[in-house]
Amino acid sequence: AIANTTSLAVDKTVTSVGQTQVTDQAQIPEAVTGDTISYQILVENTGNVALSNVVVSDTLWTAGQSITVDGGSQTTTGEATYTIASLLPEQTVTITYTYMVPDTAAGSAVSNTATATAGSVSAQDTASVSVKRQHTINVEVVNGTASATDLSNGTITVNHGDSVNIS
């Protein structure tokens, strides 16, 4: 007789960053603040016994988060989880969701982990997206004099709309 085994697999991927589709997880483009990152989580029963009450969580989820489960709209619970009632052997459930990159992530990364747990069986996977630091330069023109702050080792070009040189 074959022994009963219970096991899970979680595969978390980035499917798009801003308007760019991601086809290779080794080549995820950098995000900028305000970009939307789309994620996909595959939860698979890799054992030979049906699993019930598989609790899925993600470190980016909040209570009431909108997610899509196998094509249908769902929301997470107050604990920011989603429960798969039953997962048959070799069955995979696909969960997708989006996340908007906050200003506080500039110059770092959005790194998060998806976890699936059914009783004593658990699996997780992490995805990470680097976020570019964007420098804002404020240029103010007062009485024909332009001044700039926070040059950040960059170059400033000021165009004032006519052919008179500005010095």
Side-chain angles (χ1 to χ4, degrees):
I2 297 175
N4 287 342
T5 58
T6 54
S7 61
L8 279 168
V10 172
D11 182 27
K12 179 166 188 167
T13 56
V14 175
T15 58
S16 68
V17 176
Q19 299 298 315
T20 305
Q21 295 299 308
V22 177
T23 57
D24 181 350
Q25 295 301 294
Q27 296 184 2
I28 297 172
E30 282 187 303
V32 295
T33 59
D35 271 353
T36 297
I37 302 172
S38 297
Y39 293 98
Q40 175 178 272
I41 303 167
L42 300 177
V43 179
E44 181 182 8
N45 180 346
T46 54
N48 61 6
V49 175
L51 299 172
S52 58
N53 299 318
V54 179
V55 178
V56 181
S57 63
D58 189 291
T59 53
L60 288 180
W61 288 356
T62 57
Q65 170 90 36
S66 293
I67 60 175
T68 302
V69 180
D70 284 343
S73 235
Q74 299 289 332
T75 56
T76 60
T77 66
E79 291 79 39
T81 62
Y82 177 78
T83 300
I84 301 167
S86 177
L87 195 59
L88 301 174
E90 299 182 16
Q91 181 184 4
T92 300
V93 170
T94 302
I95 300 172
T96 58
Y97 72 98
T98 60
Y99 177 76
M100 184 175 288
V101 179
D103 291 341
T104 55
S108 62
V110 174
S111 184
N112 60 312
T113 302
T115 304
T117 305
S120 63
V121 179
S122 184
Q124 65 182 28
D125 193 19
T126 300
S128 186
V129 176
S130 295
V131 181
K132 291 179 189 176
R133 178 175 303 281
Q134 292 181 301
H135 297 284
T136 301
I137 299 172
N138 296 317
V139 176
E140 183 177 353
V141 178
V142 178
N143 296 326
T145 302
S147 64
T149 57
D150 186 16
L151 299 181
S152 303
N153 298 319
T155 301
I156 296 177
T157 303
V158 177
N159 292 315
H160 57 81
D162 62 31
S163 61
V164 177
N165 289 333
I166 297 177
S167 57

